[in-house]
Amino acid sequence: MEMRSEGSDPAIWEEIELSESYLVCSMYEEAVSSASSILKRLSKHSEDLEATDHFELYDMLESAGMVLVQSLRELGRTSEILHELKLLFASVPTIPVQVLLTGICFYISEGHSLGVQEFLEEFLSRWTFVDEQYVLVGTEENADYTEKCGGPFLLGVDKYLEVVEVYVLKLLGTILNDVDLASSWVENAKLPEDRRQVLLRRLHSLHSVKATNSSQGTFSSLLVDDNEAHSSCLQQMPDGYPKTKYPPKGETAKNQAVFNLSKRLEPCFWWFRTITLKFGSARVVISNGKIVLGFLILLIYYVFRRKQATIKRIVQRQTLSMKNALVDLWQLAFSYQVNPLAAVQPLAAATRSGQ
């Protein structure tokens, strides 16, 4: 098979659709195997493809890569995502942005951070800003060829900045808590000036929020230490010395009130807490309220089964009593005698008296 047919053969798209079907049907092992096979084949022959095939190649890489990262997450193998991407793609910069961002977000959301900084730095460092777009390093000299190829060799500003935001704001600024390094990287990176200023403002806001939270935490710890020292001094005073406790004032009183309120409200939220059960690739989330309701239904069923005869007798007795009451009411209503002449008798008596 020729290299050109390797990238444009409809059979590749059929295999990608099959891997997507595996993913939809929760057959994650088969989806990983199929997507890996497709990516290995495409990466192996990507350099031999003609220029007209690079757009289609990029779409194939993106489709198969998305199946791969989603299947790995569903299998609980999120920690392997970065390794698999490095293994299956020709190089980190050739990974489609959508696949890269999805894999990184899955990786970070599971609490992993090892290797993420180096991975993103390798991707970002291999692109250079030329004519309002990013071009893969090494291809910018042949601009005509690069523009014709597109796909893996060109990257829009918006897509590049999506990766930058994850690296600067999420990783450096939030997870690693190194705002200074993030600001330094933004100042030295090849970015459009307006976007650079936006990122710097967001980093400044992030730094201000962290500084405020840090100062509040330090102030609270100082208050706790001061209260503990005051209590220890009171305990060490002689018995005859008056021991006076000073009530909290200002912010301390407010914080104490909020703390007490949260302690009171905490049991109220017990009903809404959830328990996650995992059976293979399936996950079931059950709330405490549903569990209690289920036990209540089972208890009612158990009592009903044990006391079925008694409940049946009570129901029959109540039904019979209601039936007798209705029969008595019916008989009473139709056994009452009504005199049809009662309405005219007083008139006749009045006529006789007049005469």
Side-chain angles (χ1 to χ4, degrees):
M1 183 179 293
E2 297 179 358
M3 293 300 120
R4 178 178 175 80
S5 62
E6 189 72 38
S8 57
D9 192 348
I12 300 253
W13 282 115
E14 293 179 2
E15 292 182 25
I16 292 175
E17 291 177 359
L18 179 61
S19 66
E20 292 174 345
S21 301
Y22 287 146
L23 176 62
V24 173
C25 296
S26 300
M27 302 171 65
Y28 303 121
E29 290 287 356
E30 291 80 358
V32 170
S33 176
S34 178
S36 300
S37 175
I38 295 169
L39 289 173
K40 285 180 182 177
R41 198 182 324 162
L42 292 175
S43 298
K44 180 179 179 181
H45 300 295
S46 60
E47 296 180 356
D48 300 322
L49 293 172
E50 296 183 5
T52 55
D53 292 325
H54 280 87
F55 286 106
E56 187 177 13
L57 171 66
Y58 189 84
D59 292 338
M60 290 178 175
L61 291 173
E62 186 176 58
S63 300
M66 290 299 295
V67 173
L68 176 71
V69 295
Q70 292 179 76
S71 300
L72 288 175
R73 186 200 183 195
E74 294 297 333
L75 288 172
R77 296 165 55 186
T78 312
S79 59
E80 303 176 19
I81 288 180
L82 298 188
H83 174 72
E84 291 294 329
L85 291 178
K86 288 183 178 179
L87 184 66
L88 296 174
F89 285 87
S91 61
V92 173
T94 60
I95 301 175
V97 173
Q98 189 65 32
V99 177
L100 178 81
L101 292 175
T102 305
I104 291 293
C105 290
F106 286 164
Y107 191 80
I108 292 176
S109 65
E110 296 292 334
H112 306 294
S113 59
L114 183 64
V116 179
Q117 183 175 355
E118 294 79 6
F119 191 86
L120 290 175
E121 286 177 352
E122 182 178 355
F123 180 89
L124 295 171
S125 63
R126 295 290 302 276
W127 297 91
T128 182
F129 190 57
V130 178
D131 296 333
E132 301 300 323
Q133 62 185 352
Y134 285 90
V135 181
L136 190 65
V137 173
T139 62
E140 66 272 15
E141 295 180 358
N142 193 349
D144 294 336
Y145 174 76
T146 300
E147 188 168 353
K148 289 179 181 178
C149 291
F153 302 103
L154 289 179
L155 201 60
V157 174
D158 292 334
K159 285 190 174 183
Y160 184 81
L161 284 173
E162 288 180 9
V163 184
V164 170
E165 288 181 1
V166 172
Y167 173 67
V168 171
L169 299 175
K170 181 67 175 177
L171 181 63
L172 297 182
T174 304
I175 297 177
L176 301 181
N177 197 21
D178 195 345
V179 179
D180 293 335
L181 177 60
S183 300
S184 176
W185 189 92
V186 171
E187 291 173 354
N188 297 323
K190 296 180 179 179
L191 302 172
E193 190 58 33
D194 56 337
R195 300 296 188 91
R196 188 196 314 276
Q197 297 303 321
V198 171
L199 285 173
L200 289 175
R201 284 196 297 270
R202 294 178 66 180
L203 284 171
H204 178 71
S205 301
L206 182 64
H207 178 71
S208 300
V209 171
K210 288 181 176 294
T212 302
N213 293 337
S214 177
S215 62
Q216 288 179 352
T218 304
F219 180 68
S220 300
S221 63
L222 289 175
L223 287 176
V224 172
D225 294 340
D226 182 65
N227 290 334
E228 291 178 353
H230 182 67
S231 300
S232 62
C233 290
L234 289 176
Q235 293 175 359
Q236 294 174 2
M237 287 182 181
D239 294 336
Y241 196 90
K243 299 178 181 180
T244 305
K245 280 193 174 182
Y246 297 96
K249 298 179 181 179
E251 289 297 324
T252 308
K254 292 181 182 179
N255 293 337
Q256 186 66 28
V258 172
F259 178 72
N260 293 334
L261 181 61
S262 63
K263 289 177 66 178
R264 293 177 184 176
L265 292 178
E266 184 176 1
C268 300
F269 293 98
W270 174 88
W271 184 268
F272 301 99
R273 293 178 182 174
T274 59
I275 298 175
T276 303
L277 303 177
K278 187 174 182 181
F279 303 96
S281 60
R283 295 183 180 179
V284 180
V285 180
I286 307 175
S287 65
N288 289 342
K290 291 182 180 179
I291 295 175
V292 174
L293 185 60
F295 278 115
L296 184 60
I297 293 173
L298 289 177
L299 179 61
I300 294 173
Y301 178 75
Y302 173 76
V303 172
F304 181 79
R305 293 285 296 178
R306 290 294 300 270
K307 304 293 182 179
Q308 185 175 4
T310 305
I311 295 174
K312 187 176 181 180
R313 286 196 300 271
I314 294 173
V315 172
Q316 289 177 349
R317 191 182 305 124
Q318 294 295 330
T319 305
L320 184 60
S321 299
M322 187 177 295
K323 178 182 177 182
N324 293 334
L326 291 174
V327 170
D328 293 340
L329 181 62
W330 183 270
Q331 292 176 351
L332 181 63
F334 288 94
S335 64
Y336 181 74
Q337 299 296 327
V338 179
N339 185 4
L341 300 178
V344 298
Q345 279 180 353
L347 180 61
T351 305
R352 287 197 297 269
S353 62
Q355 292 175 356

